[in-house]
Amino acid sequence: MLKHSSIVAALAGLLLSASLPLTAKDKKKPTADAPKLGDQRSVAYFDITKIIWPNPPAVTRIKFTDLFTGEKVDPKLFSKENRKPKQKWMDRLAGTQNVNEINVDKLPFQLIRTYGLATDSQGKIYAADQAVGAVFIFDPKTKAVEMIRNKSEASFGLINGLAVDDNDRLFVSDSKLHRVLVLNAKHSMEASVGMDTLVDPGGIALDKDNRFLYVVDTGNDTVAVFDADSFKKLRNIGTPSKKHNNSDPGNFSLPTNIAVDSEGDVYVTDTFNNRVQIFDADGNFESTFGKNGDGPGQFERPKGIAVDCDRHIWVVDSAQDRVKVFDREGRLLIYFGEHGEYPGRFMGAYGIAIDKDNRVFVSETFPGRVQMFRYVTDAEAEAEKNKRAVADQKPAAPAKQEAATAQVKKDSAPAKTQDSAAH
């Protein structure tokens, strides 16, 4: 079983403030006075319908919808009844245990340092947490949480990237064990990939049509390509190197993450070169965009990457704590996020995944969280624009019509006599 007492104990104060229900007094307070640590792991103090991009009156393209932090926390776990009884003064003197110590063995697991993300056919979210040494599985519908734990359901060293295929097999990259672990839909070990070739595997992606498994080998400055069924290595993208100083197009310097679009094109965050590189399904270089800088359209350590149904490219800039959306030519379309603990802001943003329902998930490494957003597609945005245009249209010449009606009433009114006028 996973030993998590020391880690969770350090979070006890955070969980306590984050999980206790609001009192009547708290509910009367303005949002600015709400507990800061409670805010960062909850949406209780926020009207999440207002967390959107861009701002009105523009058509909304990105909506914040929810966040996930770990297993459900029961406030009763922090009650006096769950604390260990006071020990005698001799025990305290000997330092055998703390006074009124919370029983950490009963505390639920929480995200601490979250990296790779993936989703399955049922809409569940998979999040790899290096500090806990486990893959958390969140069900947004039921709020249930499952876990694949080190030395319990699986054997992990230092997990990083995640991917799920169309049969709900889970692929987990492990940079310490130099492999990609394959688990079946029941989360039992099925295979181990790349142990004889991978140096430091990071982000992974699956081309479900061409049956390719892409593994970013950060330590080798390459992307390894395997057959997704036989797990035979097919080729490398990029030139192997340990110096991490190659900036030529088609080569990498400490790449971290990868994505595949509906056409089979491959997108790699070339992190140390502060750029994104695009390849075709055969591994041929196509184009690149991005340069170092602190502006919205520039990069300061791009990490997570994903492609939506409209083939827009979403890139997580970990240094800026922003998510930036580009077109294929590298033109910035929109960005959101900044340093911060509140929903819609990030602390150590890292991974990103987009599912078939246009939900966007972003992981954070401090504090461990997964935030969920909704992407409004090009077609949906166009429909909303047309809807607004129709609503803004006025009836045909209403002023002229009213004037004509008034004139008809005047012409048809009986003429007044002098006698009646005198009255």
Side-chain angles (χ1 to χ4, degrees), residues 13-228:
L14 171 62
L15 296 179
L16 179 59
S17 63
S19 61
L20 290 176
L22 297 178
T23 64
K25 183 178 180 181
D26 290 330
K27 291 180 180 178
K28 293 179 181 178
K29 289 182 179 181
T31 302
D33 294 337
K36 187 175 182 181
L37 290 178
D39 287 349
Q40 70 180 12
R41 300 180 71 84
S42 170
V43 294
Y45 296 98
F46 299 91
D47 178 0
I48 64 173
T49 63
K50 299 272 196 306
I51 309 176
I52 57 175
W53 297 267
N55 291 324
V59 173
T60 297
R61 299 307 304 268
I62 302 167
K63 305 175 183 179
F64 171 86
T65 56
D66 208 346
L67 60 80
F68 308 90
T69 61
E71 293 183 307
K72 185 177 180 180
V73 178
D74 184 354
K76 293 180 181 179
L77 293 172
F78 299 91
S79 65
K80 292 182 179 180
E81 290 75 14
N82 190 49
R83 294 175 181 265
K84 295 178 181 179
K86 288 186 177 181
Q87 66 274 61
K88 297 179 181 179
W89 71 271
M90 286 293 291
D91 294 327
R92 294 200 301 271
L93 186 62
T96 54
Q97 72 177 118
N98 295 327
V99 179
N100 281 349
E101 182 184 56
I102 293 175
N103 192 347
V104 295
D105 293 332
K106 295 182 179 180
L107 290 179
F109 287 89
Q110 297 289 293
L111 295 171
I112 299 177
R113 192 169 69 246
T114 318
Y115 283 76
L117 295 170
T119 60
D120 66 14
S121 63
Q122 302 175 56
K124 293 181 179 179
I125 311 159
Y126 293 69
D129 196 290
Q130 286 191 356
V132 180
V135 177
F136 287 71
I137 307 172
F138 299 98
D139 189 331
K141 296 178 182 177
T142 66
K143 304 301 181 181
V145 183
E146 303 174 61
M147 295 181 69
I148 303 173
R149 298 164 295 180
N150 182 33
K151 298 181 181 178
S152 180
E153 292 81 13
S155 179
F156 300 133
L158 194 63
I159 56 178
N160 196 327
L162 298 178
V164 177
D165 72 5
D166 40 15
N167 293 317
D168 282 346
R169 290 189 303 174
L170 175 65
F171 295 73
V172 185
S173 68
D174 193 315
S175 58
K176 185 176 181 179
L177 300 181
H178 316 291
R179 69 179 184 181
V180 174
L181 186 66
V182 185
L183 306 175
N184 62 26
K186 295 182 179 180
H187 305 152
S188 298
M189 182 172 174
E190 185 176 289
S192 184
V193 183
M195 292 185 68
D196 55 341
T197 61
L198 297 173
V199 176
D200 184 9
I204 55 180
L206 286 162
D207 183 336
K208 298 176 182 179
D209 293 327
N210 294 314
R211 308 306 300 164
F212 293 145
L213 167 64
Y214 293 96
V215 183
V216 175
D217 194 346
T218 304
N220 203 31
D221 283 346
T222 59
V223 173
V225 187
F226 298 88
D227 185 290

